[in-house]
Amino acid sequence: MITIHTVTIIEKTRADYRRTLTELFLSEAPGAAGIPTKYEYNVETDNAGNIIYLKRPTNLNKGFDFEVRVSNMRFKHINKNGRISYSNRPSHDNIIDNLAEKKAEDSSQFTLLLTVIDAIFNCVEIDPQIYCKFSFRSGYPVDMICKCIKWLFIEQDITYWNWSGRNMLYNGIKNV
């Protein structure tokens, strides 16, 4: 059984996001007899009504790790053997490829989009109306991509707690 919560988490620093999410995860009930407790935290909704949520526990990692997922979306994944699959979990490659499409479509709009991503990187809460200013036709909607980026940054801050955290994805975005 999966326990689903809708939460609003708005913080001003990476440390505050880590603290708030860690406290939330600490309130989860422990599993029993080899059966984990499972949680989904609805954290954002995009303009199309898709829910960005955090899924716990993850398949590969332990502890405070989580996966970012998007309801009603399918992202393409290619494994090491070249096998293609689809899931509702956006990868860093999905994000970077999508941003590259947007840059190829309109480099001046893309430059403006990077200023929004810079603000997200710096834990600035984005006014939802900002997303309506973009008119990209390629790829995924800007608001959905940006909200995924926010939570992927936070996921990296927790996974790589004492390391570079969000900088890994951010550097990939800056190199588009």
Side-chain angles (χ1 to χ4, degrees), residues 2 7 11 19 28 33 35-36 55 81 84 86 90-91 94 100-101 103 105 122 126 152-153 155 162 167 169 174-175:
I2 298 172
V7 296
E11 299 293 353
R19 183 177 304 105
E28 296 173 354
I35 300 172
K55 178 183 177 270
N81 300 325
I84 297 173
Y86 294 87
S91 69
N94 296 138
E101 287 178 38
K103 182 179 183 180
E105 178 184 332
N122 290 306
I126 306 300
L152 287 168
F153 281 160
E155 186 271 333
N162 291 41
N167 287 303
L169 175 57
K174 295 302 254 183
N175 288 327

Side-chain angles (χ1 to χ4, degrees), residues 131-147:
Y131 302 123
C132 299
K133 295 182 179 185
F134 295 98
S135 59
F136 291 108
R137 292 181 307 278
S138 62
Y140 301 109
V142 169
D143 68 316
M144 193 260 308
I145 287 294
C146 287
K147 290 174 181 189

Side-chain angles (χ1 to χ4, degrees), residues 59-153:
N59 292 330
L60 300 175
N61 296 316
K62 298 177 176 118
F64 289 112
D65 200 14
F66 60 88
E67 294 175 347
V68 177
R69 302 227 170 209
V70 184
S71 67
N72 305 312
M73 296 300 295
R74 290 287 173 241
F75 300 94
K76 184 178 182 177
H77 300 277
I78 303 173
N79 73 11
K80 296 174 196 171
N81 300 325
R83 186 169 175 215
I84 297 173
S85 64
Y86 294 87
S87 79
N88 64 349
R89 182 184 49 83
S91 69
H92 292 195
D93 287 342
N94 296 138
I95 300 296
I96 289 168
D97 291 347
N98 187 261
L99 292 174
E101 287 178 38
K102 287 172 172 34
K103 182 179 183 180
E105 178 184 332
D106 187 330
S107 61
S108 61
Q109 262 198 96
F110 178 76
T111 300
L112 293 174
L113 179 55
L114 282 180
T115 64
V116 173
I117 294 170
D118 288 343
I120 294 167
F121 177 82
N122 290 306
C123 300
V124 174
E125 191 63 22
I126 306 300
D127 179 339
Q129 295 304 313
I130 295 292
Y131 302 123
C132 299
K133 295 182 179 185
F134 295 98
S135 59
F136 291 108
R137 292 181 307 278
S138 62
Y140 301 109
V142 169
D143 68 316
M144 193 260 308
I145 287 294
C146 287
K147 290 174 181 189
C148 286
I149 288 170
K150 171 186 173 180
W151 290 99
L152 287 168
F153 281 160

Side-chain angles (χ1 to χ4, degrees), residues 22 54 65:
T22 299
L54 313 180
D65 200 14

